[in-house]
Amino acid sequence: PRGATVKDTFLDLSIRDMLRMLHIPSAAHRRFVRIVLPVAPWVFGCAGAAYALLPQLLSKSASEAPIAFSGLMTVITLGCGVGVQMLGKVIDTSRSARASAVAMGVITVGTILGAVASSTRSLPLGIAGAAVMGAGYGLALVAGLSEVQRIARPEELAGLTAVYYSVSYTGFFIPMAFSALAPLLGFTTLFLIGAVLALCCLVNAVLGWRAHLPGHAGWAIIFRWQLARYCLTTVALTPLTTSCTPSPSSASVVTWKSVASTSPAIWSA
């Protein structure tokens, strides 16, 4: 109510009202579940592994400057993560999961470098692994937030972004889980397991390359595919410079009208 304090407003809300406010329908979008959620924990998971685990594993190799080396690894990881985000915007596209696939490919390479560094205790490999995992963190963050902006409706953007960050922050459990399981499996094995899981997420992103695209982006791809198929079937024997203008046959006209009317923004995708 107007003029009421935050406390009064909060007390006036019932539990059902609170649950209704927390309900984000876009979180059940198939694109969000298929592409965004599997990549989200890797955002901070790989970054945490780079600046929390690798410095600990390579502290003896850093000889008399383990604290400085730990700070250097943190700067490299976060610096690469921030610096690569401009490239992530270039890689990202509304027509496929290219950004998520590239991010998971980089993270897979980074975890493999982390496994080799933990096995050999090599400082150069550790620094390279931190840089690559930092780049993976930046690319995955840009990919996830870009997908969220395309999936969410304007009134749900803040809520879906909160859901995305909530899932992303679960990645901070990865260093803790590694430390707890290291006496049983060893850090090298755990990094290799992480590489296998990252590779599985990469395969999932590739298999869902254009699955469940939100909004007009999916219809734009369908329209362009139908246009390309029409051109191939009707002007296959004409030179490439010939304009492929659809004939006024009833089937073609119905097809183009039905597709074009589905989304008015189809050519702007």
Side-chain angles (χ1 to χ4, degrees), residues 100-169:
S100 298
V102 171
M104 290 312 307
V106 173
I107 291 173
T108 302
V109 174
T111 51
I112 293 174
L113 288 174
V116 177
S118 65
S119 176
T120 61
R121 297 298 193 269
S122 170
L123 288 182
L125 284 176
I127 293 174
V132 175
M133 282 192 279
Y137 139 71
L139 292 173
L141 182 62
V142 171
L145 290 176
S146 299
E147 290 280 3
V148 166
Q149 291 178 358
R150 289 190 289 266
I151 292 172
R153 292 181 294 183
E155 65 273 14
E156 296 179 359
L157 180 58
L160 192 62
T161 303
V163 173
Y164 171 74
Y165 271 112
S166 299
V167 178
S168 298
Y169 285 135

Coordinates of all heavy atoms in Angstrom, one line a residue, residues 100-169:
S100 N 28.1 -20.7 -26.0 CA 28.1 -21.7 -24.9 C 29.1 -22.9 -25.3 O 29.8 -23.4 -24.5 CB 26.7 -22.3 -24.6 OG 25.9 -21.3 -24.2
A101 N 29.0 -23.3 -26.6 CA 29.9 -24.4 -27.0 C 31.4 -23.9 -27.0 O 32.2 -24.7 -26.5 CB 29.5 -24.8 -28.5
V102 N 31.7 -22.7 -27.4 CA 33.1 -22.2 -27.4 C 33.5 -22.1 -25.9 O 34.7 -22.5 -25.6 CB 33.2 -20.9 -28.1 CG1 34.5 -20.3 -27.9 CG2 32.9 -21.1 -29.6
A103 N 32.7 -21.6 -25.1 CA 33.0 -21.5 -23.6 C 33.3 -22.9 -23.0 O 34.4 -23.0 -22.3 CB 31.9 -20.8 -22.9
M104 N 32.5 -23.9 -23.3 CA 32.8 -25.2 -22.8 C 34.0 -25.8 -23.4 O 34.7 -26.6 -22.7 CB 31.5 -26.1 -22.9 CG 30.3 -25.7 -22.1 SD 30.7 -25.4 -20.4 CE 31.6 -26.9 -19.9
G105 N 34.3 -25.5 -24.6 CA 35.5 -26.1 -25.2 C 36.7 -25.5 -24.6 O 37.7 -26.2 -24.3
V106 N 36.7 -24.2 -24.3 CA 37.8 -23.5 -23.6 C 38.0 -24.1 -22.2 O 39.1 -24.3 -21.7 CB 37.6 -22.0 -23.6 CG1 38.7 -21.3 -22.7 CG2 37.7 -21.5 -25.0
I107 N 36.9 -24.3 -21.5 CA 36.9 -24.8 -20.1 C 37.5 -26.2 -20.1 O 38.2 -26.6 -19.2 CB 35.5 -24.7 -19.5 CG1 35.1 -23.3 -19.2 CG2 35.5 -25.5 -18.2 CD1 33.7 -23.1 -18.8
T108 N 37.1 -27.0 -21.1 CA 37.6 -28.4 -21.2 C 39.1 -28.4 -21.3 O 39.8 -29.1 -20.6 CB 37.0 -29.1 -22.4 OG1 35.6 -29.1 -22.2 CG2 37.5 -30.5 -22.5
V109 N 39.6 -27.5 -22.2 CA 41.1 -27.4 -22.4 C 41.7 -26.9 -21.1 O 42.8 -27.4 -20.7 CB 41.4 -26.4 -23.5 CG1 42.9 -26.2 -23.6 CG2 40.9 -27.0 -24.8
G110 N 41.1 -26.0 -20.4 CA 41.7 -25.5 -19.1 C 41.7 -26.5 -18.0 O 42.7 -26.6 -17.3
T111 N 40.7 -27.3 -17.9 CA 40.7 -28.4 -16.9 C 41.8 -29.5 -17.2 O 42.4 -30.0 -16.3 CB 39.3 -29.0 -16.7 OG1 38.9 -29.4 -18.0 CG2 38.4 -28.1 -16.1
I112 N 42.0 -29.7 -18.5 CA 43.1 -30.7 -18.9 C 44.4 -30.1 -18.5 O 45.3 -30.8 -18.0 CB 43.0 -31.0 -20.4 CG1 41.7 -31.8 -20.7 CG2 44.2 -31.8 -20.8 CD1 41.5 -32.0 -22.2
L113 N 44.6 -28.8 -18.8 CA 45.9 -28.2 -18.4 C 46.0 -28.2 -16.8 O 47.2 -28.4 -16.3 CB 45.9 -26.7 -18.9 CG 46.1 -26.6 -20.4 CD1 46.0 -25.1 -20.7 CD2 47.5 -27.1 -20.8
G114 N 44.9 -28.0 -16.1 CA 45.0 -28.1 -14.7 C 45.4 -29.5 -14.2 O 46.1 -29.6 -13.2
A115 N 44.9 -30.5 -14.9 CA 45.2 -31.9 -14.5 C 46.7 -32.1 -14.7 O 47.4 -32.7 -13.9 CB 44.4 -32.9 -15.3
V116 N 47.2 -31.7 -15.9 CA 48.7 -31.9 -16.2 C 49.5 -31.1 -15.2 O 50.6 -31.6 -14.7 CB 49.0 -31.5 -17.6 CG1 50.4 -31.6 -17.9 CG2 48.1 -32.3 -18.6
A117 N 49.1 -29.9 -14.9 CA 49.9 -29.0 -13.9 C 49.9 -29.6 -12.5 O 50.9 -29.6 -11.9 CB 49.3 -27.6 -13.9
S118 N 48.8 -30.2 -12.1 CA 48.7 -30.8 -10.8 C 49.5 -32.1 -10.7 O 50.0 -32.5 -9.6 CB 47.3 -31.1 -10.4 OG 46.7 -32.1 -11.2
S119 N 49.7 -32.7 -11.8 CA 50.5 -34.0 -11.9 C 52.0 -33.7 -12.0 O 52.8 -34.3 -11.3 CB 50.1 -34.8 -13.1 OG 50.9 -36.0 -13.2
T120 N 52.4 -32.7 -12.8 CA 53.8 -32.4 -13.0 C 54.3 -31.3 -12.0 O 55.5 -31.1 -12.0 CB 54.0 -31.9 -14.4 OG1 53.3 -30.7 -14.7 CG2 53.6 -33.0 -15.4
R121 N 53.4 -30.5 -11.4 CA 53.8 -29.4 -10.5 C 54.6 -28.3 -11.3 O 55.5 -27.7 -10.9 CB 54.6 -29.8 -9.3 CG 53.9 -30.8 -8.4 CD 52.6 -30.1 -7.8 NE 52.1 -30.8 -6.6 CZ 51.1 -31.7 -6.7 NH1 50.7 -32.0 -7.9 NH2 50.7 -32.4 -5.7
S122 N 54.1 -28.1 -12.6 CA 54.8 -27.2 -13.5 C 54.2 -25.8 -13.3 O 53.0 -25.7 -13.5 CB 54.7 -27.7 -14.9 OG 55.2 -26.7 -15.8
L123 N 55.0 -24.8 -13.0 CA 54.5 -23.4 -12.9 C 54.0 -22.9 -14.2 O 52.9 -22.3 -14.3 CB 55.5 -22.5 -12.3 CG 55.9 -22.7 -10.9 CD1 56.9 -21.7 -10.4 CD2 54.6 -22.5 -10.0
P124 N 54.7 -23.1 -15.4 CA 54.2 -22.5 -16.6 C 52.8 -23.2 -17.0 O 51.9 -22.5 -17.5 CB 55.3 -22.9 -17.6 CG 56.5 -23.0 -16.8 CD 56.1 -23.5 -15.5
L125 N 52.7 -24.5 -16.8 CA 51.4 -25.1 -17.1 C 50.3 -24.7 -16.2 O 49.2 -24.5 -16.6 CB 51.6 -26.7 -17.0 CG 52.3 -27.3 -18.2 CD1 52.5 -28.8 -17.9 CD2 51.6 -27.1 -19.5
G126 N 50.7 -24.4 -14.9 CA 49.7 -23.9 -14.0 C 49.2 -22.5 -14.4 O 48.0 -22.2 -14.3
I127 N 50.1 -21.7 -14.8 CA 49.7 -20.3 -15.2 C 48.9 -20.4 -16.5 O 47.9 -19.7 -16.6 CB 51.0 -19.5 -15.4 CG1 51.7 -19.2 -14.1 CG2 50.7 -18.1 -16.1 CD1 53.0 -18.5 -14.2
A128 N 49.3 -21.3 -17.4 CA 48.5 -21.4 -18.7 C 47.1 -21.9 -18.4 O 46.1 -21.5 -18.9 CB 49.2 -22.4 -19.6
G129 N 47.0 -22.9 -17.4 CA 45.7 -23.4 -17.1 C 44.8 -22.4 -16.4 O 43.6 -22.3 -16.7
A130 N 45.4 -21.5 -15.6 CA 44.7 -20.4 -14.9 C 44.2 -19.4 -16.0 O 43.0 -19.0 -15.9 CB 45.5 -19.7 -13.9
A131 N 45.0 -19.1 -17.0 CA 44.6 -18.2 -18.0 C 43.5 -18.8 -18.9 O 42.5 -18.1 -19.2 CB 45.8 -17.9 -18.9
V132 N 43.6 -20.0 -19.2 CA 42.5 -20.7 -20.1 C 41.2 -20.8 -19.3 O 40.2 -20.5 -19.8 CB 43.0 -22.0 -20.6 CG1 41.9 -22.7 -21.4 CG2 44.3 -21.8 -21.5
M133 N 41.3 -21.2 -18.1 CA 40.1 -21.4 -17.3 C 39.5 -20.0 -17.0 O 38.2 -19.9 -16.9 CB 40.4 -22.1 -16.0 CG 40.5 -23.6 -16.2 SD 40.5 -24.6 -14.6 CE 42.2 -24.4 -14.1
G134 N 40.3 -19.0 -16.8 CA 39.8 -17.6 -16.7 C 39.0 -17.2 -17.9 O 38.0 -16.6 -17.8
A135 N 39.6 -17.5 -19.1 CA 38.9 -17.1 -20.3 C 37.6 -17.9 -20.5 O 36.6 -17.4 -20.9 CB 39.8 -17.5 -21.5
G136 N 37.6 -19.2 -20.0 CA 36.4 -19.9 -20.1 C 35.3 -19.4 -19.1 O 34.1 -19.3 -19.5
Y137 N 35.7 -18.9 -18.0 CA 34.8 -18.2 -17.1 C 34.2 -17.0 -17.7 O 32.9 -16.8 -17.6 CB 35.6 -17.9 -15.8 CG 35.2 -16.5 -15.2 CD1 34.0 -16.3 -14.6 CD2 36.1 -15.5 -15.2 CE1 33.7 -15.0 -14.0 CE2 35.9 -14.2 -14.7 CZ 34.6 -14.0 -14.1 OH 34.3 -12.8 -13.5
G138 N 35.0 -16.2 -18.4 CA 34.4 -15.0 -19.0 C 33.5 -15.3 -20.2 O 32.4 -14.7 -20.3
L139 N 33.9 -16.3 -21.0 CA 33.0 -16.6 -22.1 C 31.7 -17.3 -21.7 O 30.7 -17.0 -22.3 CB 33.8 -17.6 -23.0 CG 35.0 -17.0 -23.8 CD1 35.8 -18.1 -24.5 CD2 34.6 -16.0 -24.8
A140 N 31.8 -18.1 -20.7 CA 30.6 -18.8 -20.2 C 29.6 -17.8 -19.5 O 28.4 -17.9 -19.7 CB 30.9 -19.9 -19.1
L141 N 30.2 -16.8 -18.9 CA 29.3 -15.7 -18.2 C 28.6 -14.9 -19.3 O 27.4 -14.7 -19.2 CB 30.2 -14.8 -17.4 CG 29.4 -13.7 -16.6 CD1 28.4 -14.3 -15.6 CD2 30.4 -12.8 -15.8
V142 N 29.3 -14.5 -20.3 CA 28.7 -13.7 -21.4 C 27.6 -14.6 -22.1 O 26.5 -14.1 -22.5 CB 29.8 -13.2 -22.4 CG1 29.1 -12.6 -23.7 CG2 30.7 -12.2 -21.7
A143 N 28.0 -15.8 -22.4 CA 27.0 -16.7 -23.1 C 25.8 -16.9 -22.3 O 24.6 -16.8 -22.9 CB 27.7 -18.1 -23.4
G144 N 25.9 -17.2 -21.0 CA 24.7 -17.4 -20.2 C 23.8 -16.2 -20.1 O 22.6 -16.2 -20.2
L145 N 24.4 -15.0 -19.8 CA 23.6 -13.8 -19.6 C 23.0 -13.4 -21.0 O 21.9 -12.8 -21.0 CB 24.5 -12.6 -19.1 CG 25.0 -12.8 -17.7 CD1 25.9 -11.6 -17.3 CD2 23.8 -12.8 -16.7
S146 N 23.7 -13.6 -22.1 CA 23.1 -13.3 -23.4 C 21.9 -14.2 -23.7 O 20.8 -13.7 -24.2 CB 24.1 -13.5 -24.5 OG 25.2 -12.6 -24.3
E147 N 22.0 -15.5 -23.3 CA 20.8 -16.4 -23.5 C 19.7 -16.0 -22.6 O 18.5 -16.0 -23.0 CB 21.3 -17.8 -23.2 CG 22.2 -18.4 -24.2 CD 21.5 -18.9 -25.4 OE1 20.2 -18.8 -25.5 OE2 22.1 -19.5 -26.3
V148 N 20.0 -15.5 -21.4 CA 18.9 -15.1 -20.4 C 18.2 -13.9 -21.0 O 17.0 -13.8 -20.9 CB 19.6 -14.8 -19.0 CG1 18.6 -14.0 -18.2 CG2 20.0 -16.1 -18.3
Q149 N 18.9 -12.9 -21.5 CA 18.3 -11.8 -22.1 C 17.3 -12.1 -23.3 O 16.3 -11.4 -23.5 CB 19.3 -10.8 -22.6 CG 20.1 -10.1 -21.4 CD 21.2 -9.2 -21.9 OE1 21.4 -9.0 -23.1 NE2 21.9 -8.6 -21.0
R150 N 17.7 -13.1 -24.0 CA 16.8 -13.5 -25.2 C 15.6 -14.3 -24.7 O 14.6 -14.3 -25.4 CB 17.7 -14.3 -26.2 CG 18.7 -13.4 -27.0 CD 19.3 -14.2 -28.1 NE 20.2 -15.2 -27.7 CZ 21.5 -15.0 -27.6 NH1 22.0 -13.8 -27.8 NH2 22.3 -16.0 -27.2
I151 N 15.8 -15.1 -23.7 CA 14.7 -16.0 -23.2 C 13.7 -15.2 -22.4 O 12.5 -15.4 -22.6 CB 15.3 -17.1 -22.4 CG1 16.2 -18.0 -23.3 CG2 14.2 -17.9 -21.7 CD1 16.9 -19.1 -22.5
A152 N 14.1 -14.4 -21.5 CA 13.2 -13.8 -20.5 C 12.3 -12.7 -21.2 O 12.8 -11.9 -22.0 CB 14.0 -13.2 -19.3
R153 N 11.1 -12.6 -20.7 CA 10.3 -11.5 -21.1 C 10.7 -10.2 -20.2 O 11.4 -10.4 -19.2 CB 8.8 -11.8 -20.8 CG 8.2 -12.8 -21.7 CD 6.8 -13.1 -21.4 NE 6.6 -13.7 -20.1 CZ 5.4 -14.1 -19.6 NH1 4.3 -13.9 -20.4 NH2 5.4 -14.6 -18.4
P154 N 10.4 -9.0 -20.7 CA 10.9 -7.9 -20.0 C 10.6 -7.9 -18.5 O 11.5 -7.5 -17.7 CB 10.2 -6.7 -20.7 CG 10.0 -7.2 -22.1 CD 9.7 -8.7 -21.9
E155 N 9.4 -8.3 -18.1 CA 9.0 -8.3 -16.7 C 9.7 -9.4 -15.9 O 9.6 -9.4 -14.7 CB 7.5 -8.3 -16.6 CG 6.9 -9.6 -17.0 CD 6.6 -9.6 -18.5 OE1 7.1 -8.7 -19.2 OE2 5.8 -10.5 -19.0
E156 N 10.3 -10.4 -16.6 CA 10.9 -11.5 -15.9 C 12.5 -11.5 -16.0 O 13.1 -12.4 -15.5 CB 10.4 -12.8 -16.5 CG 8.9 -13.1 -16.3 CD 8.5 -14.4 -16.9 OE1 9.3 -15.1 -17.5 OE2 7.3 -14.7 -16.8
L157 N 13.0 -10.5 -16.6 CA 14.5 -10.5 -16.9 C 15.2 -10.4 -15.6 O 16.2 -11.2 -15.4 CB 14.8 -9.2 -17.7 CG 16.3 -9.1 -18.0 CD1 16.8 -10.3 -18.8 CD2 16.6 -7.8 -18.9
A158 N 14.8 -9.6 -14.6 CA 15.5 -9.5 -13.3 C 15.4 -10.9 -12.6 O 16.4 -11.4 -12.0 CB 15.0 -8.4 -12.5
G159 N 14.3 -11.5 -12.6 CA 14.1 -12.7 -11.9 C 14.9 -13.9 -12.5 O 15.5 -14.7 -11.8
L160 N 14.9 -14.0 -13.9 CA 15.6 -15.0 -14.5 C 17.1 -14.8 -14.4 O 17.9 -15.8 -14.2 CB 15.2 -15.1 -16.0 CG 15.7 -16.4 -16.7 CD1 15.1 -17.6 -16.1 CD2 15.4 -16.3 -18.2
T161 N 17.6 -13.6 -14.4 CA 19.0 -13.3 -14.1 C 19.4 -13.8 -12.7 O 20.5 -14.3 -12.5 CB 19.3 -11.8 -14.3 OG1 18.9 -11.4 -15.6 CG2 20.7 -11.5 -14.1
A162 N 18.5 -13.5 -11.8 CA 18.8 -14.0 -10.4 C 18.9 -15.5 -10.3 O 19.7 -16.1 -9.6 CB 17.7 -13.5 -9.4
V163 N 18.0 -16.2 -11.0 CA 18.0 -17.6 -11.1 C 19.4 -18.1 -11.7 O 20.0 -19.0 -11.2 CB 16.8 -18.2 -11.9 CG1 17.0 -19.7 -12.1 CG2 15.5 -17.9 -11.2
Y164 N 19.8 -17.5 -12.8 CA 21.0 -17.8 -13.5 C 22.2 -17.7 -12.5 O 23.1 -18.5 -12.4 CB 21.2 -17.0 -14.7 CG 22.5 -17.2 -15.4 CD1 22.9 -18.3 -16.1 CD2 23.5 -16.2 -15.2 CE1 24.1 -18.5 -16.6 CE2 24.8 -16.3 -15.8 CZ 25.0 -17.5 -16.5 OH 26.3 -17.6 -17.1
Y165 N 22.3 -16.5 -11.8 CA 23.4 -16.3 -10.9 C 23.4 -17.3 -9.7 O 24.4 -17.7 -9.3 CB 23.4 -14.9 -10.4 CG 24.2 -13.9 -11.3 CD1 23.5 -12.9 -12.1 CD2 25.6 -14.0 -11.4 CE1 24.3 -12.1 -12.9 CE2 26.3 -13.2 -12.2 CZ 25.6 -12.2 -13.0 OH 26.3 -11.3 -13.8
S166 N 22.2 -17.6 -9.3 CA 22.1 -18.6 -8.2 C 22.7 -19.9 -8.6 O 23.4 -20.6 -7.8 CB 20.6 -18.8 -7.8 OG 20.1 -17.5 -7.3
V167 N 22.4 -20.4 -9.8 CA 22.9 -21.6 -10.3 C 24.4 -21.5 -10.5 O 25.2 -22.4 -10.2 CB 22.2 -22.1 -11.6 CG1 22.8 -23.4 -12.1 CG2 20.7 -22.3 -11.3
S168 N 24.9 -20.3 -11.0 CA 26.3 -20.1 -11.3 C 27.1 -20.2 -10.0 O 28.2 -20.7 -10.0 CB 26.5 -18.7 -12.0 OG 25.8 -18.7 -13.2
Y169 N 26.6 -19.6 -8.9 CA 27.3 -19.5 -7.7 C 27.6 -20.9 -7.1 O 28.4 -21.1 -6.2 CB 26.7 -18.6 -6.7 CG 26.8 -17.1 -7.0 CD1 25.8 -16.3 -7.0 CD2 28.1 -16.6 -7.4 CE1 25.9 -14.9 -7.3 CE2 28.3 -15.3 -7.7 CZ 27.2 -14.5 -7.6 OH 27.3 -13.1 -7.9

